Amino acid sequence: TDTRIAIVKLLFLNNMLALGIDIGASKVAAALVKSDRILRNVKIAYQHKTVAGVNAAILAAAGSVVGKSKIAGIGLGVPCALGKNKKILACANIPALNPGEIAKVLGRTYRTPVIIENDVKAAALAELKYGIGRKTKNFVFLAFGTGIGGAIVIDGKLYKGTLGWAGEFGHTKMPMEWEKIASAQFLRTHKGKDAIDKLAQNIAVGLLNITYALAPEYIVIGGGLSSLCDKKFEAKVISTMKRLRISSKLPLPKITRSRFGENAGTIGAALLPSIA
């Protein structure tokens, strides 16, 4: 209810704890969070990608980090396209997930509001409040892992588009689906230095397309593959973008790694109850 959410926001102002849950395609991460600090966290892989298997992993992860702690709210970051009023439209990489049902179970278990948001949009909120948002209010957040997720921040707010699901860059076609050639899916079938070089090129093409569409000041890279984004890899990406852009006068966005790495999703999810 509105009253319960108002109480939750008041508790957050007093630095209460929150539970952030980041649901991925192969595992679930959960963290007990205070402000931008993770006090306890855990990652649990799915034993079976069935409804029961996925839900069991989520509940086990939550129980592992909460323990006997008092929490003010729960944020659930889901790898799904969300429409208006956060209606679940598609969970492409984990179709067994039923976010609404598991949110109800978590709410009953911990007697606190549970707020659902797209996982990468949640991660972008962490960057906006505690990371790159201190430098700019206009950026694109991209999470590279099993697939590619995206979020757009304009004037300090998440931009979701009229239909509610803006930022699904991973499913753009170039001519193949971008996440098939610029994520862990690509590295499963391509090995060696040449594969890394080709991956950098594929990522660069996608980043350039995003630049043409949105011209953000920054592009923030997160997700499980963000560890690849060292200075050498970043230089390959930027040199390809410079080579392919329509003019050398066209400015390119600054590219930076997420301050929180793979933890951006849980920290951002933990923020959700305080801004609902």
Side-chain angles (χ1 to χ4, degrees):
T1 66
D2 291 342
T3 301
R4 286 184 72 196
I5 291 176
I7 292 172
V8 167
K9 290 182 178 180
L10 182 61
L11 290 172
F12 270 94
L13 290 175
N14 290 312
N15 289 319
M16 287 291 289
L17 304 178
L19 172 61
I21 301 175
D22 183 13
I23 300 174
S26 59
K27 62 182 178 298
V28 58
L32 188 66
V33 179
K34 184 175 183 179
S35 184
D36 62 342
R37 293 186 296 117
I38 291 178
L39 305 184
R40 291 195 294 272
N41 65 340
V42 70
K43 295 178 183 177
I44 297 180
Y46 305 124
Q47 295 298 315
H48 305 284
K49 275 196 177 182
T50 61
V51 173
V54 170
N55 287 353
I58 293 169
L59 293 173
S64 175
V65 298
V66 173
K68 296 182 179 180
S69 299
K70 301 282 189 181
I71 57 173
I74 299 172
L76 197 61
V78 299
C80 309
L82 305 185
K84 294 179 180 179
N85 300 317
K86 298 188 178 178
K87 179 182 178 182
I88 305 298
L89 302 178
C91 300
N93 290 317
I94 184 166
L97 179 63
N98 186 333
E101 185 58 36
I102 192 62
K104 290 178 183 177
V105 175
L106 288 165
R108 289 195 299 265
T109 301
Y110 295 100
R111 299 180 180 276
T112 191
V114 180
I115 307 300
I116 296 173
E117 182 56 273
N118 170 269
D119 55 347
V120 184
K121 288 181 173 61
L125 289 174
E127 283 295 334
L128 178 61
K129 186 170 179 65
Y130 300 120
I132 199 67
R134 294 170 177 172
K135 293 182 179 180
T136 181
K137 302 302 179 186
N138 297 282
F139 63 91
V140 169
F141 188 102
L142 292 169
F144 291 87
T146 302
I148 300 173
I152 304 164
V153 175
I154 298 176
D155 293 335
K157 296 181 181 179
L158 280 176
Y159 175 75
K160 299 183 179 182
T162 303
L163 303 180
W165 51 274
E168 293 290 335
F169 302 114
H171 300 293
T172 54
K173 317 295 182 183
M174 323 188 299
M176 291 182 65
E177 198 164 316
W178 190 33
E179 69 176 19
K180 293 186 185 302
I181 60 172
S183 71
Q185 296 181 45
F186 180 81
L187 293 180
R188 288 189 194 123
T189 54
H190 299 74
K191 306 295 181 184
K193 181 179 179 299
D194 289 345
I196 298 299
D197 290 344
K198 183 62 177 175
L199 179 69
Q201 292 179 34
N202 293 341
I203 288 175
V205 171
L207 297 190
L208 191 58
N209 285 338
I210 291 170
T211 300
Y212 287 147
L214 297 170
E217 185 176 1
Y218 279 83
I219 294 178
V220 182
I221 305 298
L225 286 186
S226 62
S227 58
L228 281 177
C229 194
D230 57 17
K231 290 186 177 180
K232 185 176 180 181
F233 187 85
E234 182 181 319
K236 291 177 183 177
V237 171
I238 293 173
S239 65
T240 301
M241 292 176 71
K242 287 181 176 179
R243 177 170 56 84
L244 295 178
R245 62 184 169 175
I246 55 176
S247 167
S248 60
K249 295 180 180 180
L250 186 78
L252 296 175
K254 301 177 184 71
I255 299 174
T256 184
R257 285 179 62 180
S258 167
R259 175 190 168 188
F260 303 106
E262 292 186 65
N263 294 323
T266 51
I267 293 173
L271 277 171
L272 293 174
S274 68
I275 61 176

